[in-house]
Amino acid sequence: MALDLANLHGIYWKENGQTALAGMPLAILRKLDRLFVRWADECGAAEYRFPVFIEARELHKLDYFSSFPHLATFPVTLDSSPEHLKEFSREAGIDDAGVVRLGKCSPVREVLTPAACYHFYVLFQGASLESSLYLTTVATCFRREAYYRPLERQWNFTMREIVCIGTAEEVKEFLASHRARLERFFSKIDLPIAWQNATDPFFDPSRNPKFIAQKLDPVKTEIVFGGELAIGSINFHRNFFGETFGIRREGEAAFSGCVAFGVERWLFALLSRFGPDNLRVLESLW
C-alpha cells in the first residue's frame, strides 16, 4: 500500500531531513528497539550508550574522510574570543535565507556519529580478547544525503546495532544465526523483504579500492523492503577494524561483524505493509 505520511498523525516532517514523532508512530519505534534489544540479549550482548560525537582522528584511521566526505556532518562552534563573539552578535548571525554567518570557528575535532558500531572499535582499541565480544548500542546517526524522504532517508536517524568481535568463525556463526532469526521473523509476520548484496556509498567509487574489493567479494548484505529501501544490513568486516585499531583475538587481528537496523525505516516498512490502523498485527511483534 502507498503510505500517506503527510496525513498520518504523529509524524512531522521538515524539508531539511528531520522528522519528529509522537503518538502511535513513536510508540511503535520504541517497541521496535525493544525487540532488537531482546534479540541482542539472546546472544548475551552487553549494551552500551555512547556520546553523539566521535573523534575525527579515529575516523581518519578508517580513511572515512576520503571514502565518505559527502556523508560527513560536523559539530561546529564559534571562535570563543570576545572580539569574534561581539562581531557575530552585532551581525545577528543569520541572513534572510536562514544561513548562519559563522565567521571564524573553533578547530573541528569531532564528527557527528555516522554509524553506531564505530564507537566499539575505538573503545576496545589495543585490546587482546580472551573470548569473543557480543555488544549492542543504539545511536542517532548523521549522514548528509542528496535528498530526503520522511522515515526513508533522513539526515539524522536511529540505528540499532548488534556487534560481534572475535575470530572469523565466531563472527560468521553470529551473522548466520541472526540472518536465520530474521528470516523466521519476516516469515512469521509476512513482511516481504529481499536479501541483496550491496556496497557502501563510497565517494568516487571507481577510484576507491575498497569499493572494488566489495564488488569482487561482497561483505554487506542489505535487507530490502519494497524493492529499494534497505531497512537493515548484515555486515562481515573481516579483520579490517581489528587491524586498524589493534584489537587482537587468539594472537591475530580480530574479525568483526554487525547486524544493523535502521529503526525509522523499519517503522516505514511496517506501516506501509500493515497500515497505521492495523495495530493488532503490529502488536504481534512484541
Side-chain angles (χ1 to χ4, degrees):
M1 63 169 287
L3 185 61
D4 183 8
L5 292 178
N7 294 311
L8 183 57
H9 179 70
I11 297 179
Y12 307 96
W13 168 250
K14 290 186 175 293
E15 295 299 324
N16 64 352
Q18 313 293 303
T19 304
L21 298 176
M24 177 268 292
L26 178 58
I28 296 174
L29 188 88
R30 288 173 170 168
K31 288 180 179 180
L32 276 170
D33 191 51
R34 287 199 290 270
L35 174 68
F36 303 147
V37 170
R38 189 162 74 241
W39 291 344
D41 288 342
E42 289 175 5
C43 70
E47 185 160 18
Y48 287 72
R49 185 79 180 198
F50 293 103
V52 73
F53 298 162
I54 190 167
E55 290 179 280
R57 63 183 177 184
E58 301 293 356
L59 282 188
H60 180 62
K61 296 175 183 177
L62 304 172
D63 295 325
Y64 189 86
F65 301 115
S66 59
S67 296
F68 308 110
H70 53 304
L71 302 182
T73 303
F74 301 93
V76 178
T77 57
L78 298 172
D79 177 83
S80 59
S81 66
E83 296 78 11
H84 178 256
L85 293 178
K86 288 179 181 178
E87 179 183 355
F88 178 82
S89 178
R90 283 195 302 270
E91 295 293 329
I94 193 167
D95 65 18
D96 293 339
V99 177
V100 180
R101 305 186 191 95
L102 290 175
K104 186 178 180 183
C105 295
S106 298
V108 175
R109 296 188 175 91
E110 286 80 28
V111 184
L112 291 171
T113 298
C117 68
Y118 288 165
H119 290 280
F120 286 123
Y121 310 118
V122 175
L123 178 65
F124 292 102
Q125 190 165 193
S128 294
L129 307 180
E130 295 183 0
S131 60
S132 55
L133 294 178
Y134 299 93
L135 313 158
T136 188
T137 191
V138 67
T140 298
C141 294
F142 297 79
R143 295 182 189 173
R144 192 76 163 141
E145 301 277 7
Y147 67 93
Y148 301 106
R149 286 200 297 258
L151 301 183
E152 296 181 76
R153 187 173 297 272
Q154 301 184 163
W155 191 351
N156 71 287
F157 56 94
T158 309
M159 182 185 294
R160 164 67 65 178
E161 294 204 44
I162 309 173
V163 177
C164 174
I165 307 175
T167 65
E169 292 73 20
E170 289 165 339
V171 174
K172 289 178 180 178
E173 181 179 353
F174 162 81
L175 296 176
S177 67
H178 278 276
R179 174 161 175 163
R181 173 187 284 110
L182 284 162
E183 288 174 342
R184 292 192 300 270
F185 177 78
F186 294 132
S187 176
K188 175 184 176 182
I189 68 167
D190 192 27
L191 184 69
I193 62 95
W195 298 92
Q196 295 182 4
N197 290 335
T199 57
D200 290 312
F202 293 103
F203 180 71
D204 195 8
S206 64
R207 297 175 179 268
N208 195 307
K210 295 187 183 71
F211 173 81
I212 297 171
Q214 286 192 9
K215 291 290 285 184
L216 294 174
D217 185 11
V219 296
K220 183 186 186 75
T221 304
E222 290 183 335
I223 307 163
V224 178
F225 171 79
E228 62 178 8
L229 182 66
I231 65 174
S233 61
I234 290 180
N235 307 275
F236 180 50
H237 307 135
R238 302 192 184 92
N239 58 359
F240 173 69
F241 290 110
E243 286 185 342
T244 301
F245 290 103
I247 306 171
R248 312 287 289 177
R249 174 80 174 108
E250 295 185 350
E252 299 180 346
F255 283 68
S256 65
C258 70
V259 183
F261 306 103
V263 189
E264 285 87 357
R265 289 185 173 190
W266 273 68
L267 172 61
F268 178 87
L270 293 175
L271 291 174
S272 297
R273 173 63 171 164
F274 303 115
D277 299 321
N278 199 351
L279 296 182
R280 184 172 299 173
V281 173
L282 299 179
E283 286 170 356
S284 70
L285 303 180
W286 32 80

Coordinates of all heavy atoms in Angstrom, one line a residue, residues 171-172 175 179 196-200 202 210-222 233-241 255-260:
V171 N 32.5 -14.8 14.3 CA 31.8 -13.8 13.7 C 30.8 -14.3 12.6 O 29.6 -14.0 12.5 CB 32.7 -12.7 13.1 CG1 31.9 -11.7 12.3 CG2 33.5 -12.0 14.2
K172 N 31.3 -15.3 11.8 CA 30.4 -15.9 10.8 C 29.3 -16.6 11.4 O 28.1 -16.5 10.9 CB 31.3 -16.8 9.9 CG 32.2 -16.1 9.0 CD 33.1 -17.1 8.2 CE 34.0 -16.4 7.2 NZ 34.9 -17.4 6.5
L175 N 26.7 -14.0 12.6 CA 26.0 -13.4 11.5 C 24.9 -14.4 10.9 O 23.8 -14.0 10.6 CB 26.9 -12.9 10.4 CG 27.9 -11.7 10.8 CD1 28.8 -11.4 9.6 CD2 27.1 -10.5 11.2
R179 N 20.9 -13.9 10.7 CA 20.1 -13.9 9.4 C 19.0 -15.0 9.5 O 17.9 -14.7 9.1 CB 21.1 -14.3 8.3 CG 20.3 -14.5 7.0 CD 21.2 -14.4 5.8 NE 20.4 -14.6 4.6 CZ 20.8 -14.3 3.3 NH1 21.9 -13.7 3.1 NH2 20.0 -14.6 2.3
Q196 N 19.9 -8.6 -0.5 CA 20.7 -8.1 -1.6 C 22.1 -7.8 -1.2 O 22.3 -7.0 -0.3 CB 20.0 -6.9 -2.3 CG 18.6 -7.2 -2.9 CD 18.0 -6.0 -3.5 OE1 18.6 -4.9 -3.6 NE2 16.8 -6.1 -4.0
N197 N 23.1 -8.3 -2.0 CA 24.5 -7.9 -1.8 C 24.6 -6.4 -2.1 O 23.9 -5.9 -3.1 CB 25.4 -8.7 -2.7 CG 25.5 -10.1 -2.2 OD1 25.3 -10.4 -1.0 ND2 25.9 -11.0 -3.1
A198 N 25.4 -5.7 -1.4 CA 25.5 -4.2 -1.5 C 26.9 -3.8 -1.3 O 27.7 -4.5 -0.8 CB 24.5 -3.5 -0.6
T199 N 27.2 -2.6 -1.7 CA 28.4 -1.9 -1.4 C 28.1 -0.6 -0.7 O 27.0 -0.1 -0.8 CB 29.2 -1.6 -2.7 OG1 28.4 -0.7 -3.5 CG2 29.6 -2.8 -3.5
D200 N 29.1 -0.2 0.1 CA 28.9 1.1 0.8 C 29.0 2.3 -0.2 O 29.5 2.2 -1.3 CB 30.1 1.3 1.8 CG 29.9 0.3 3.0 OD1 28.8 0.2 3.5 OD2 30.9 -0.3 3.4
F202 N 30.6 4.7 -1.4 CA 31.9 5.4 -1.5 C 31.8 6.7 -2.3 O 31.1 6.7 -3.3 CB 32.9 4.5 -2.0 CG 33.2 3.3 -1.2 CD1 32.7 2.1 -1.4 CD2 34.0 3.5 0.0 CE1 33.0 1.0 -0.6 CE2 34.3 2.4 0.8 CZ 33.8 1.1 0.5
K210 N 38.5 0.0 -1.9 CA 37.6 -0.7 -1.0 C 36.3 -1.0 -1.8 O 35.7 -2.1 -1.6 CB 37.3 0.1 0.2 CG 38.5 0.4 1.1 CD 38.0 1.0 2.4 CE 39.2 1.4 3.3 NZ 40.0 2.5 2.8
F211 N 35.8 -0.1 -2.6 CA 34.6 -0.4 -3.4 C 34.9 -1.6 -4.4 O 34.0 -2.5 -4.5 CB 34.3 0.9 -4.2 CG 33.2 0.6 -5.2 CD1 31.8 0.6 -4.8 CD2 33.4 0.4 -6.6 CE1 30.8 0.4 -5.7 CE2 32.4 0.2 -7.5 CZ 31.1 0.2 -7.0
I212 N 36.0 -1.6 -5.0 CA 36.3 -2.7 -5.9 C 36.4 -4.0 -5.2 O 35.8 -5.0 -5.6 CB 37.6 -2.4 -6.6 CG1 37.5 -1.1 -7.5 CG2 38.1 -3.6 -7.5 CD1 38.8 -0.7 -8.1
A213 N 37.0 -4.0 -4.0 CA 37.1 -5.2 -3.2 C 35.7 -5.7 -2.8 O 35.4 -6.9 -2.8 CB 37.9 -5.0 -1.9
Q214 N 34.8 -4.8 -2.4 CA 33.4 -5.2 -2.1 C 32.6 -5.7 -3.3 O 31.8 -6.6 -3.1 CB 32.7 -4.0 -1.4 CG 33.1 -3.7 0.0 CD 32.2 -2.8 0.7 OE1 31.1 -2.5 0.2 NE2 32.6 -2.3 1.9
K215 N 32.9 -5.2 -4.4 CA 32.2 -5.7 -5.6 C 32.7 -7.2 -5.9 O 31.9 -8.0 -6.3 CB 32.5 -4.8 -6.8 CG 31.9 -3.5 -6.8 CD 30.4 -3.5 -6.9 CE 30.0 -3.8 -8.4 NZ 28.5 -3.8 -8.6
L216 N 34.0 -7.4 -5.7 CA 34.5 -8.8 -6.0 C 34.1 -9.8 -5.0 O 33.9 -11.0 -5.3 CB 36.1 -8.7 -6.1 CG 36.6 -7.9 -7.3 CD1 38.1 -7.8 -7.2 CD2 36.2 -8.5 -8.6
D217 N 34.1 -9.3 -3.7 CA 33.8 -10.3 -2.6 C 32.8 -9.5 -1.6 O 33.3 -8.9 -0.6 CB 35.0 -10.7 -1.9 CG 34.8 -11.7 -0.8 OD1 33.7 -12.3 -0.7 OD2 35.7 -12.0 -0.1
P218 N 31.5 -9.5 -1.9 CA 30.6 -8.7 -1.0 C 30.7 -9.1 0.4 O 30.7 -10.3 0.8 CB 29.2 -9.1 -1.6 CG 29.5 -9.5 -3.0 CD 30.9 -10.2 -2.9
V219 N 30.7 -8.1 1.3 CA 30.7 -8.3 2.7 C 29.5 -7.6 3.4 O 29.3 -7.7 4.6 CB 32.0 -7.7 3.4 CG1 33.2 -8.5 2.9 CG2 32.1 -6.2 3.1
K220 N 28.6 -7.0 2.6 CA 27.4 -6.3 3.1 C 26.2 -6.9 2.4 O 26.1 -6.9 1.2 CB 27.6 -4.8 2.8 CG 26.4 -3.9 3.3 CD 26.6 -2.5 2.8 CE 25.6 -1.5 3.5 NZ 26.0 -1.2 4.8
T221 N 25.3 -7.4 3.2 CA 24.0 -7.9 2.7 C 22.9 -7.0 3.3 O 22.7 -7.0 4.5 CB 23.8 -9.3 3.1 OG1 24.9 -10.1 2.6 CG2 22.5 -9.9 2.4
E222 N 22.1 -6.4 2.4 CA 21.0 -5.5 2.9 C 19.7 -6.2 2.9 O 19.5 -7.1 2.1 CB 20.9 -4.3 2.0 CG 22.1 -3.3 2.1 CD 22.0 -2.1 1.2 OE1 21.2 -2.1 0.2 OE2 22.6 -1.1 1.6
S233 N 21.0 -4.3 7.6 CA 22.0 -5.0 6.9 C 22.8 -5.9 7.8 O 22.8 -5.7 9.0 CB 23.0 -4.0 6.2 OG 23.6 -3.2 7.2
I234 N 23.4 -6.9 7.2 CA 24.3 -7.8 7.9 C 25.7 -7.6 7.2 O 25.8 -7.7 6.0 CB 23.8 -9.3 7.7 CG1 22.5 -9.5 8.5 CG2 24.9 -10.2 8.2 CD1 22.0 -10.9 8.5
N235 N 26.7 -7.3 8.1 CA 28.0 -6.9 7.6 C 29.1 -7.7 8.2 O 29.2 -7.8 9.4 CB 28.2 -5.4 8.0 CG 27.0 -4.5 7.5 OD1 27.0 -4.1 6.4 ND2 26.1 -4.3 8.4
F236 N 29.9 -8.3 7.3 CA 31.1 -9.0 7.7 C 32.3 -8.1 7.4 O 32.6 -7.9 6.2 CB 31.2 -10.3 7.0 CG 32.4 -11.2 7.4 CD1 32.8 -11.4 8.7 CD2 33.2 -11.7 6.4 CE1 33.9 -12.2 9.0 CE2 34.3 -12.5 6.7 CZ 34.7 -12.7 8.0
H237 N 33.0 -7.6 8.4 CA 34.1 -6.6 8.2 C 35.4 -7.3 8.0 O 36.4 -6.6 7.9 CB 34.2 -5.7 9.4 CG 32.9 -5.1 9.8 ND1 32.5 -5.0 11.1 CD2 31.9 -4.4 9.1 CE1 31.3 -4.4 11.2 NE2 30.9 -4.0 10.0
R238 N 35.4 -8.6 8.0 CA 36.7 -9.3 8.0 C 37.5 -8.9 9.2 O 37.0 -8.6 10.3 CB 37.4 -9.2 6.7 CG 36.7 -9.7 5.5 CD 37.6 -9.7 4.3 NE 36.8 -10.1 3.0 CZ 36.3 -9.2 2.2 NH1 36.4 -7.9 2.4 NH2 35.6 -9.6 1.1
N239 N 38.8 -8.6 9.1 CA 39.7 -8.2 10.2 C 40.1 -6.7 10.0 O 41.1 -6.2 10.6 CB 40.9 -9.0 10.3 CG 41.8 -9.1 9.1 OD1 41.4 -8.5 8.0 ND2 42.9 -9.8 9.1
F240 N 39.3 -6.0 9.2 CA 39.6 -4.6 8.9 C 39.7 -3.7 10.2 O 40.7 -3.0 10.4 CB 38.6 -4.0 7.9 CG 38.8 -2.5 7.7 CD1 39.9 -2.0 7.0 CD2 37.8 -1.6 8.2 CE1 40.0 -0.7 6.8 CE2 38.0 -0.2 8.0 CZ 39.1 0.2 7.3
F241 N 38.7 -3.8 11.0 CA 38.7 -3.0 12.2 C 39.7 -3.5 13.2 O 40.3 -2.7 14.0 CB 37.3 -2.9 12.8 CG 36.3 -2.1 12.0 CD1 35.2 -2.7 11.4 CD2 36.4 -0.7 12.0 CE1 34.3 -2.0 10.6 CE2 35.5 0.0 11.2 CZ 34.4 -0.6 10.5
F255 N 38.5 -10.4 14.0 CA 37.4 -10.2 12.9 C 36.2 -9.5 13.6 O 36.1 -9.5 14.9 CB 37.0 -11.5 12.3 CG 38.0 -12.0 11.3 CD1 39.3 -12.4 11.7 CD2 37.7 -12.0 10.0 CE1 40.2 -12.9 10.8 CE2 38.6 -12.5 9.0 CZ 39.9 -13.0 9.4
S256 N 35.4 -8.9 12.8 CA 34.1 -8.3 13.4 C 33.0 -8.4 12.4 O 33.2 -8.5 11.2 CB 34.4 -6.9 13.8 OG 34.7 -6.0 12.7
G257 N 31.8 -8.2 12.9 CA 30.6 -8.2 12.1 C 29.5 -7.5 12.8 O 29.5 -7.5 14.1
C258 N 28.5 -7.1 12.1 CA 27.4 -6.4 12.8 C 26.1 -6.6 12.1 O 26.1 -6.9 10.9 CB 27.6 -4.9 13.0 SG 27.6 -4.0 11.5
V259 N 25.0 -6.6 12.8 CA 23.7 -6.6 12.3 C 23.1 -5.2 12.6 O 23.1 -4.8 13.8 CB 22.8 -7.7 12.9 CG1 21.4 -7.7 12.3 CG2 23.5 -9.0 12.8
A260 N 22.8 -4.4 11.6 CA 22.3 -3.0 11.8 C 20.9 -2.9 11.4 O 20.4 -3.4 10.3 CB 23.2 -2.1 10.9

